[in-house]
Every structure is written in structure tokens, then in C-alpha cells.
């Protein structure tokens, strides 16, 4: 019995194993796979994709009137922010400039205005601006009457 067990162990452990080398070949043609797999991979991806693009949210070009309105609102907010900045940090006095050129024209320019915000209510299109004094300082409320968006700026000590 011992001899049979010994023979089984010897032959069992010493038999030649037959195997082949494993070679990896990717399926995706982007990573070196066969290019004939591309249509199959594309159709599989499209079959799994359940996303549908919403065509109703496409970009709508502004009309000339809407662009004009937007431009006016931007200029108003720019002037307001310049005035607020000047009130808070001080502004330079009126700056005058002159210029000449080698062309056909010359020009001069002067700046006017105090840059101070006067209390009151101002309406520019859809923007309503309220400026008033409070115990906190000068308060500037900007309200867009179309969207209901509101911004409040407080200048302390004004």
C-alpha cells in the first residue's frame, strides 16, 4: 500500500504540465483592439444610453432691443459701482485731458460731476434703485422688477 501511495505521489507531482502563454488582446480599438469591433462597441453603448437631449433649452439669440436693454443696465450698474467705490475709498477730483494727433483731428475732454449718491428712488427700465440714509450709513437697494432679484449695499459712516 505504501508503494502504491508513493508511486501515485511521484507520478502525480512529476507529471508534465501542459499550458500555453496567456496573451491579452483588448476589444476596444482605441486601446489596440481589432478595428472591426468598433461598430459593435458603438451599438452596445448606444443601446445602454438612456439619456435624451432636451431640445427645448437651446440657446436663444437676443434681439437688438434686448441687447440694448442689457447694455443700459450694465452701464447703470457700472456707474453705480464707480460711485459707491468713490464714496467709500475717495475719488480723484475732476480729471481733464487733452490730446492731439498727427491725423486730422484734435480733442479735449473734461470730467464733471461730484460722484456723490443722492438719496431717492430711481427707476431705470426694470431696475429700481433706492438710496437712503440709515443708522448704519448710506443704504443702496437695487431691485430687478422682472426677476425679483435684490441687492443691498451699505456704506458705513456716510
Amino acid at each position: 500500500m505504501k508503494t502504491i501511495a508513493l508511486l501515485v505521489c511521484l507520478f502525480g507531482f512529476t507529471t508534465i504540465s501542459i499550458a500555453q502563454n496567456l496573451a491579452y488582446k483588448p476589444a476596444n480599438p482605441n486601446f489596440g483592439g481589432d478595428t472591426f469591433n468598433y461598430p459593435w462597441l458603438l451599438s452596445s453603448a448606444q443601446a445602454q444610453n438612456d439619456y435624451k437631449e432636451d431640445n427645448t433649452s437651446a440657446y436663444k439669440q437676443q434681439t437688438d432691443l434686448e441687447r440694448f436693454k442689457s447694455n443700459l443696465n450694465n452701464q447703470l450698474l457700472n456707474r453705480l459701482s464707480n460711485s459707491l467705490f468713490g464714496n467709500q475709498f475717495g475719488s480723484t477730483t475732476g480729471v481733464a485731458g487733452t490730446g492731439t494727433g498727427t491725423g486730422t483731428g484734435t480733442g479735449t475732454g473734461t470730467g464733471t460731476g461730484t460722484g456723490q449718491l443722492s438719496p431717492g428712488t430711481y427707476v431705470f427700465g426694470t431696475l429700481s434703485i433706492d438710496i437712503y440714509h440709515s443708522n448704519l450709513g448710506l443704504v443702496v437697494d437695487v431691485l430687478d422688477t422682472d426677476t425679483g432679484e435684490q441687492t443691498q449695499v451699505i456704506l458705513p459712516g456716510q
Side-chain angles (χ1 to χ4, degrees):
M1 183 70 164
K2 288 184 181 182
T3 58
I4 294 174
L6 182 63
L7 288 174
V8 169
C9 285
L10 284 175
F11 286 118
F13 292 126
T14 60
T15 57
I16 298 173
S17 297
I18 299 173
Q20 65 182 12
N21 290 334
L22 295 177
Y24 171 72
K25 179 132 174 100
N28 192 335
N30 290 330
F31 300 110
D34 192 6
T35 57
F36 295 115
N37 288 338
Y38 178 77
W40 171 74
L41 289 170
L42 181 62
S43 65
S44 316
Q46 287 174 339
Q48 295 173 21
N49 184 11
D50 59 351
Y51 175 76
K52 301 294 181 212
E53 185 176 357
D54 184 18
N55 292 334
T56 60
S57 65
Y59 174 74
K60 182 181 172 271
Q61 180 120 8
Q62 287 184 330
T63 64
D64 289 337
L65 187 59
E66 290 171 336
R67 279 194 304 255
F68 181 71
K69 175 184 164 188
S70 175
N71 189 11
L72 284 179
N73 285 343
N74 288 339
Q75 287 181 11
L76 168 71
L77 293 174
N78 184 22
R79 291 285 177 125
L80 183 62
S81 66
N82 284 341
S83 180
L84 291 174
F85 185 81
N87 284 343
Q88 186 65 26
F89 300 108
S91 62
T92 60
T93 57
V95 176
T98 61
T100 60
T102 58
T104 59
T106 62
T108 61
T110 59
T112 60
T114 62
Q116 298 295 320
L117 295 175
S118 302
T121 300
Y122 306 97
V123 177
F124 299 96
T126 62
L127 292 179
S128 173
I129 300 172
D130 295 329
I131 301 173
Y132 57 91
H133 292 284
S134 74
N135 59 348
L136 298 174
L138 187 66
V139 179
V140 179
D141 288 329
V142 180
L143 172 67
D144 187 348
T145 57
D146 275 351
T147 62
E149 292 179 286
Q150 184 174 0
T151 302
Q152 186 177 57
V153 179
I154 299 174
L155 297 171
Q158 295 292 322

